[in-house]
Amino acid sequence: MKADIIIIGAGPGGYECAVKAAKEGLQVIVIEEKHVGGTCLNEGCIPTKCFCRNAEVLENVRDAARYGLSAGDVALDLQQVVRRKDEVVSKLAAGIHTLLKAPGITLVEGKARFVDAHTVAVGGEEYRADNVVIATGSVTRMLPIPGTDNPKVVTSTGMLSLEQVPRRLCVIGGGVIGLEFASIFRTFGSEVTVVEFCKEVLPNFDKDVAKRLRLALKKRGIAFKTGAAVTSIEEGPDGSAVVHFDEKGKSGDTEADLVLMAVGRGANVSSLNLADIGVAFTPRGITVDDNMCTNVPGVYAVGDVNGRVQLAHAATYQGYRALNHMQGRADNICFDIIPAAVFTQPEVASAGLTEEQCTERDITYKVYKSFYRANGKALAMDADDGFVKLLADAEGHLLGAHILGAHAADLIHEAALLMKLGGTVGQMAEAIHAHPTLSELLPAAIGEN
């Protein structure tokens, strides 16, 4: 079967590219081995956000008396939490299946194998196209230490189908995935300990925000072991798991009923015979240029598999860039400004440069800050913990934005858009914002400095 494009993988990088290409009149073959929607829909972004919402509602109900409401005793039904998550995932998966039934798109279910650079086999069938987009995503990483095969050790996928809340949860890894689950299950009732190798959690985020988030989570009862290297996991005397680590030169351990391995994800390159067709790759991912081209003409790689940015929305726009390159079109997509969010309580969001990156690049910058405790809407919401931090150059052009607090993931996009357009903090300050809203925190940061 011949087409214009073959796309291997139906996650955000794959199916969004397919839909856009079909709308432009191209014939597209999409090959998916497991589930449409990829990790994001089935095991990542969407399921965890469902759990985050359950945790948020639970917190609100527990605090009902503060708002003059009598809610009585509150009990969590984890099986219903999982059922609701499954319903949301099923509904979105059905929507993607509908999109992939559009004219011009052929969905093939099965494992892809390259015959040559432009021919892909699935089972006994072969498919050929001038352009091939590899969008196979990523897989969970495991530390190379003894004890990871302990049945008490699970990945983020396992956390999403638990039948009961663990009394004690140890999270190995203080990145986005680890902290989201730590926040969720602390609200669900677990005693949570986070063990992080780096000196601070969220090592890729602005240090001010990371530190303040850690302190906020610590205030909620989550224990942290930072600068701690996990050395082994062994079975405890009561059937629990004991996590051993070296913390600042001293040995330590923590006992848990469940251990979440959340030390990041690696590019899913082993599922394809890339070496057979000469596509260059490293353990980090498939090597691509800024147009998502590999070293083999007509072969592209987008999303987690190229190791550039492991975010679903980044994968989508990388797919658009690859499609534009195939069509000989230029675009204005800016991959230097990709918003990122952490759905803890409180939330974190970031876009652009961190203060540390500005210092490393010898960029002269000014810091602007405002605080949730001075915002009327935040006080009305009883969400006064947090701040906005903006970085601007000597001419006032916005370089970076970092937010800790309620709805940070929504607020960040105003700053991201301003950065993309080359705007200044002065322009932000002069834009009228509705009152009372959390969005006022952005111009307030400029007015208070």
Side-chain angles (χ1 to χ4, degrees):
M1 183 175 178
K2 182 78 165 59
D4 297 303
I5 307 172
I6 292 172
I7 299 175
I8 305 174
Y15 84 79
E16 295 273 18
C17 180
V19 170
K20 188 173 177 62
K23 287 180 178 178
E24 295 176 6
L26 300 177
Q27 295 295 311
V28 186
I29 295 169
V30 179
I31 302 170
E32 173 54 51
E33 182 181 4
K34 294 181 180 178
H35 311 289
V36 298
T39 297
C40 174
L41 173 57
N42 296 283
E43 302 167 358
C45 321
I46 302 302
T48 55
K49 299 308 107 49
C50 290
F51 274 42
C52 286
R53 175 57 178 163
N54 281 93
E56 182 183 25
V57 171
L58 184 56
E59 289 273 14
N60 289 340
V61 175
R62 284 174 177 165
D63 291 340
R66 181 173 174 79
Y67 300 95
L69 304 173
S70 298
D73 294 333
V74 181
L76 176 73
D77 182 348
L78 187 59
Q79 292 183 8
Q80 174 56 24
V81 171
V82 173
R83 280 194 295 271
R84 190 183 78 89
K85 176 264 297 182
D86 291 340
E87 289 170 3
V88 172
V89 170
S90 295
K91 186 179 294 186
L92 290 171
I96 295 172
H97 272 290
T98 299
L99 290 173
L100 295 178
K101 289 178 181 177
I105 301 177
T106 300
L107 175 62
V108 178
E109 297 181 354
K111 182 177 174 59
R113 178 181 59 85
F114 278 103
V115 177
D116 58 49
H118 299 282
T119 307
V120 178
V122 180
E125 299 293 329
E126 291 189 356
Y127 305 88
R128 184 168 180 81
D130 292 334
N131 296 290
V132 178
V133 178
I134 301 170
T136 49
S138 59
V139 293
T140 302
R141 282 194 179 123
M142 301 292 281
L143 288 179
I145 59 172
T148 55
D149 57 347
N150 187 309
K152 298 287 186 181
V153 179
V154 300
T155 65
S156 57
T157 301
M159 294 295 292
L160 294 168
S161 56
L162 294 179
E163 295 184 354
Q164 61 184 19
V165 176
R167 185 173 68 85
R168 298 166 300 176
L169 172 66
C170 176
V171 178
I172 301 177
V176 175
I177 296 171
L179 292 189
E180 286 186 351
F181 277 109
S183 180
I184 291 165
F185 277 84
R186 178 59 190 147
T187 300
F188 285 179
S190 297
E191 298 173 13
V192 181
T193 300
V194 176
V195 183
E196 167 57 39
F197 176 76
C198 296
K199 293 180 180 179
E200 187 57 272
V201 298
L202 297 181
N204 295 323
F205 282 69
D206 188 273
K207 283 187 171 57
D208 275 355
V209 169
K211 179 181 178 181
R212 282 287 298 273
L213 175 62
R214 176 173 53 79
L215 293 175
L217 295 177
K218 185 177 179 181
K219 190 176 179 181
R220 290 182 51 207
I222 297 176
F224 287 90
K225 302 290 183 181
T226 54
V230 176
T231 55
S232 65
I233 303 168
E234 65 176 3
E235 186 173 345
D238 60 350
S240 64
V242 181
V243 178
H244 295 276
F245 52 85
D246 289 333
E247 182 183 12
K248 302 176 180 67
K250 297 181 180 179
S251 297
D253 61 66
T254 185
E255 221 174 305
D257 301 297
L258 194 70
V259 178
L260 167 61
M261 185 68 71
V263 293
R265 299 181 64 84
N268 184 16
V269 293
S270 63
S271 65
L272 297 168
N273 53 321
L274 298 177
D276 293 348
I277 61 168
V279 170
F281 64 93
T282 68
R284 181 179 175 83
I286 297 174
T287 305
V288 296
D289 63 16
D290 290 341
N291 290 313
M292 309 303 139
C293 300
T294 70
N295 62 306
V296 177
V299 179
Y300 299 77
V302 304
D304 288 6
V305 75
N306 66 29
R308 287 196 160 199
V309 182
Q310 291 189 344
L311 293 169
H313 44 286
T316 295
Y317 280 85
Q318 287 180 5
Y320 294 163
R321 168 62 62 82
L323 179 60
N324 288 336
H325 184 264
M326 294 173 206
Q327 300 287 76
R329 291 190 302 253
D331 61 51
N332 293 310
I333 299 171
C334 181
F335 290 106
D336 291 330
I337 305 168
I338 302 177
V342 188
F343 293 88
T344 45
Q345 293 187 44
E347 287 182 1
V348 165
S350 178
L353 299 178
T354 64
E355 190 169 357
E356 293 73 34
Q357 288 171 328
C358 287
T359 301
E360 290 168 3
R361 300 180 189 187
D362 200 24
I363 298 173
T364 301
Y365 65 94
K366 182 177 180 180
V367 177
Y368 299 84
K369 279 188 177 182
S370 62
F371 297 88
Y372 274 65
R373 62 176 178 264
N375 179 271
K377 180 67 177 293
L379 291 173
M381 294 169 59
D382 200 24
D384 59 351
D385 186 14
F387 67 96
V388 169
K389 177 180 180 180
L390 305 176
L391 306 173
D393 65 15
E395 288 76 40
H397 295 103
L398 193 59
L399 299 171
H402 311 279
I403 306 174
L404 168 73
H407 297 284
D410 302 307
L411 296 174
I412 196 65
H413 295 93
E414 178 179 343
L417 179 58
L418 192 67
M419 274 183 268
K420 184 183 184 303
L421 297 176
T424 65
V425 290
Q427 290 172 321
M428 178 181 283
E430 291 174 347
I432 300 173
H433 291 64
H435 174 76
T437 61
L438 295 178
S439 63
E440 293 176 285
L441 283 157
L442 292 159
I446 301 145
E448 292 178 9
N449 290 268

